[in-house]
């Protein structure tokens, strides 16, 4: 395998590469430049020789590859499971870079396990992040079946003419912060590994490469999926186990993110769509953030796909429900009992005394004495949330946190900012665990001549399942 070994100047930009659990980096030609050809290397790994297997990484890769082929990619190389070796990846990528030229776009997509190791190069970060390939082993020659963040950066920088799209549906964190049901079969794409240095050849290669320069990556748009202290799970999406980022990226390419229907995806459109879609399917566990390396970057999409949307239900959707044998299920509306926990939207665990959602979050406490009406209310809340998630509006209000997307401690003051370009009235309400609707803030922009509304709502963060008071708690 041919790999660069030339010494290069050190520039501290490691924070731009693999800084988060998984990230999407998009560098696409400005709209003023004619779109060229599209090339892609798509990798998905479910089967590992020494690590726990995943269930949705190859689903992700196949979906991304099929979407790219459908929108007219000139060449898509799909590598899955045991075929995803270090040598095969380097070779396939360089074959694509040899074909690509000015105005072309290259995509490098990875779905699989990630991990962390002590930093090889001295710098401002204590750890390197890495992709673990199918044949990875902590000892022996298999220890080299991994890709380090520094190497990935140099791979992106090797392409001097075409622009690059890098999608990494993986994670590198070491623990969770949210309270979930540990018995749920929700795979995470992170592994804890200990490397035997006796046959590890990668540190020598990384030291020869040095730090990648910022200038070499200036045409890149980075989407940070979430911080390095969170674990990324796999989710059931449309009856398949999937990664939320890969699913959102594929739908964006099909045109679902093209808000103005001009067959061009701007960075702002991508950010808006990826944020909402990933949060929706991850039950808000993932909080992606897009930052552009330069302004005016966009991606053209075929007119046939522009503006694609998913069908919207006209009523409350039904949900699948799994219950443990020790819980007696009353007669309920809008749920279908399933025997496979992995296919359930809601899980009733009688022994634990909790109703969980499909991501493992606690929804509400349950007991044999709980009335059918109370349980129905909790279930109807999630049916209503599923209905709201399907709604598509041409001018949704932009809702953000004034101090940014991060973890807020209980009792900490938070301020929501709401900007609407077409809605004069905003009704803000909370759905309690019981399904009860609690009014928070009816506001009106007012005035004879309507102006775009800019609203602010301040509250105090609270732990879930507590009483709700309008002036004190926003959960």
């Amino acid at each position: 395998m041919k790999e660069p070994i030339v010494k290069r100047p050190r520039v501290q930009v490691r924070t731009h590469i693999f800084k988060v659990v998984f990230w999407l980096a998009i560098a696409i030609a400005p709209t003023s430049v004619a779109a060229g050809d599209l090339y892609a290397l798509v990798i998905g790994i479910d089967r590992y020789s020494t690590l726990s297997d995943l269930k949705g990484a190859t689903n992700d890769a196949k979906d991304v590859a099929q979407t790219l082929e459908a929108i007219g990619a000139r060449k898509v190389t799909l590598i899955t499971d045991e075929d995803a070796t270090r040598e095969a990846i380097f070779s396939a990528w360089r074959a694509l870079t040899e074909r690509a030229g000015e105005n072309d776009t290259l995509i490098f997509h990875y779905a699989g396990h990630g991990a962390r190791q002590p930093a090889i190069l001295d710098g401002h970060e204590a750890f390197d992040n890495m992709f673990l390939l199918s044949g990875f082993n902590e000892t022996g020659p298999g220890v080299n079946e991994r890709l380090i963040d520094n190497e990935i950066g140099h791979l992106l920088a090797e392409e001097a003419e075409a622009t690059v799209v890098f999608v990494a549906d993986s994670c590198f964190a070491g623990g969770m912060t949210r309270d979930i049901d540990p018995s749920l079969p929700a795979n995470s794409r992170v592994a804890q590994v200990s490397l035997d240095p006796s046959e590890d050849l990668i540190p020598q290669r990384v030291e020869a490469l040095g730090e990648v320069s910022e200038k070499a990556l200036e045409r890149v748009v980075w989407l940070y999926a979430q911080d390095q202290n969170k674990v990324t799970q796999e989710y059931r999406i449309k009856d398949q186990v999937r990664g939320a980022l890969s699913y959102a990226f594929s739908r964006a390419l099909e045109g679902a993110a093209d808000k103005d229907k001009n067959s061009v995806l701007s960075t702002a459109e991508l950010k808006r769509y990826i944020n909402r879609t990933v949060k929706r399917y991850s039950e808000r566990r993932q909080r992606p953030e897009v930052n552009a390396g330069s302004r005016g970057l966009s991606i053209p999409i075929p007119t046939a796909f522009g503006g694609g949307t998913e069908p919207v239900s006209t009523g409350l959707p039904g949900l699948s429900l799994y219950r443990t044998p020790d819980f007696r299920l009353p007669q309920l509306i809008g749920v279908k009992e399933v025997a496979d926990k992995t296919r359930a939207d809601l899980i009733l665990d009688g022994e634990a005394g909790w109703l969980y959602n499909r991501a493992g979050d606690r929804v509400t406490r349950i007991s044999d004495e709980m009335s059918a009406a109370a349980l129905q209310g909790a279930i109807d809340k999630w049916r209503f949330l599923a209905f709201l998630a399907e709604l598509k509006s041409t001018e949704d209000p932009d809702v953000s946190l004034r101090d940014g997307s991060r973890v807020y401690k209980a009792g900490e003051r938070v301020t929501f900012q709401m900007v609407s370009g077409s809605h004069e009235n905003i009704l803000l309400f909370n759905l309690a665990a019981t399904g009860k609707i609690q009014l928070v803030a009816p506001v009106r922009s007012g005035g004879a001549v309507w102006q775009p509304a800019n609203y602010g709502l301040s509250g105090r963060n609270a732990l879930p399942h507590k009483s709700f008071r309008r002036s004190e708690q926003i959960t």
Side-chain angles (χ1 to χ4, degrees):
M1 176 178 57
K2 183 179 178 181
E3 298 187 27
I5 57 173
V6 179
K7 288 279 187 178
R8 306 193 185 190
R10 275 190 174 175
V11 179
Q12 299 296 334
V13 294
R14 188 185 300 271
T15 55
H16 294 295
I17 304 173
F18 287 91
K19 183 176 180 181
V20 294
V21 174
F22 57 88
W23 41 274
L24 163 68
I26 304 172
I28 304 161
T31 55
S32 59
V33 179
D37 292 325
L38 178 63
Y39 302 90
L41 171 60
V42 184
I43 305 160
I45 306 173
D46 281 337
R47 296 197 296 266
Y48 284 86
S49 59
T50 61
L51 303 175
S52 61
D53 287 343
L54 298 173
K55 297 181 179 180
T58 57
N59 289 336
D60 288 342
K62 291 174 182 178
D63 183 25
V64 171
Q66 290 169 1
T67 300
L68 289 168
E69 290 173 346
I71 65 174
R74 175 62 64 90
K75 173 65 175 178
V76 178
T77 302
L78 175 63
I79 306 178
T80 60
D81 293 328
E82 292 82 1
D83 293 332
T85 65
R86 180 181 170 91
E87 182 175 0
I89 291 171
F90 274 92
S91 176
W93 177 252
R94 286 175 174 146
L96 293 175
T97 61
E98 289 177 1
R99 297 181 60 174
E102 187 178 1
N103 298 333
D104 290 340
T105 301
L106 274 76
I107 293 178
F108 187 128
H109 172 277
Y110 173 87
H113 272 307
R116 303 172 73 187
Q117 69 170 78
I120 296 174
L121 299 178
D122 295 331
H124 57 280
E125 290 192 349
F127 295 95
D128 288 333
N129 297 303
M130 53 186 173
F131 288 154
L132 303 180
L133 305 179
S134 180
F136 171 81
N137 198 322
E138 293 181 331
T139 62
V143 75
N144 295 292
E145 286 299 308
R146 69 191 200 275
L147 298 175
I148 306 297
D149 53 10
N150 178 276
E151 297 179 291
I152 293 293
H154 281 288
L155 274 180
L156 300 183
E158 282 182 10
E159 176 49 55
E161 294 182 311
T163 52
V164 177
V165 178
F166 190 92
V167 184
D169 206 339
S170 185
C171 64
F172 316 96
M176 290 185 179
T177 61
R178 292 180 67 178
D179 193 8
I180 68 168
D181 176 7
S183 70
L184 294 183
N187 288 1
S188 62
R189 295 183 176 181
V190 62
Q192 302 293 330
V193 299
S194 177
L195 304 175
D196 180 0
S198 61
E199 296 189 53
D200 189 358
L201 304 178
I202 291 180
Q204 179 183 356
R205 295 166 179 164
V206 170
E207 289 171 355
L209 287 171
E211 293 283 1
V212 63
S213 70
E214 290 185 355
K215 184 174 178 57
L217 302 171
E218 65 183 0
R219 292 172 60 88
V220 176
V221 176
W222 308 92
L223 188 148
Y224 302 97
Q226 72 182 353
D227 67 60
Q228 60 186 351
N229 295 317
K230 294 292 184 65
V231 170
T232 302
Q233 294 177 212
E234 296 185 319
Y235 304 93
R236 186 170 60 84
I237 302 175
K238 307 299 182 184
D239 292 325
Q240 277 193 326
V241 178
R242 296 295 307 273
L245 180 60
S246 294
Y247 180 84
F249 181 67
S250 294
R251 306 292 81 75
L253 290 177
E254 288 176 343
D258 187 16
K259 186 177 179 181
D260 57 10
K261 306 296 187 287
N262 68 346
S263 297
V264 176
L265 298 182
S266 66
T267 301
E269 287 175 324
L270 280 170
K271 179 175 182 177
R272 184 182 182 91
Y273 181 79
I274 293 292
N275 274 336
R276 293 189 173 189
T277 306
V278 170
K279 287 179 180 179
R280 168 187 169 189
Y281 286 108
S282 68
E283 302 292 352
R284 306 190 73 82
R285 289 181 182 278
Q286 298 170 208
R287 301 188 303 273
E289 182 178 351
V290 177
N291 294 304
S294 60
R295 296 182 179 180
L297 299 178
S298 61
I299 180 170
I301 56 175
T303 304
F305 283 90
T309 59
E310 299 174 14
V312 179
S313 172
T314 57
L316 292 184
L319 301 179
S320 55
L321 182 143
Y322 171 87
R323 66 177 176 90
T324 55
D326 54 354
F327 189 85
R328 181 176 55 84
L329 190 67
Q331 186 68 33
L332 298 170
I333 299 173
V335 291
K336 179 181 179 181
E337 191 171 356
V338 295
D340 184 358
K341 185 187 289 190
T342 65
R343 302 184 65 83
D345 296 306
L346 296 171
I347 296 94
L348 276 166
D349 191 327
E351 182 178 356
W354 282 99
L355 173 67
Y356 298 95
N357 66 15
R358 64 185 178 187
D361 288 314
R362 291 175 173 178
V363 172
T364 189
R365 286 193 178 276
I366 59 172
S367 67
D368 289 333
E369 291 75 30
M370 188 177 191
S371 68
L375 184 56
Q376 183 71 62
I379 289 173
D380 283 346
K381 167 186 174 175
W382 288 90
R383 295 177 64 205
F384 185 48
L385 287 175
F387 168 74
L388 291 177
E390 294 289 341
L391 291 179
K392 302 291 183 182
S393 174
T394 56
E395 288 290 341
D396 291 334
D398 185 12
V399 182
S400 61
L401 289 165
R402 186 186 62 187
D403 297 326
S405 180
R406 60 180 178 83
V407 175
Y408 289 82
K409 298 179 180 179
E412 185 177 357
R413 177 69 62 176
V414 295
T415 300
F416 292 90
Q417 298 178 137
M418 293 164 280
V419 179
S420 175
S422 65
H423 296 89
E424 186 175 2
N425 300 287
I426 290 182
L427 177 65
L428 187 64
F429 59 90
N430 176 65
L431 281 173
T434 61
K436 182 179 180 180
I437 297 178
Q438 300 163 326
L439 186 63
V440 178
V443 289
R444 183 181 176 87
S445 59
V449 179
W450 181 82
Q451 298 293 329
N454 192 336
Y455 304 104
L457 177 67
S458 182
R460 194 173 300 279
N461 191 36
L463 295 173
H465 317 305
K466 303 251 183 178
S467 61
F468 183 88
R469 289 173 290 179
R470 173 182 171 185
S471 61
E472 295 184 5
Q473 300 182 12
I474 302 293
T475 59

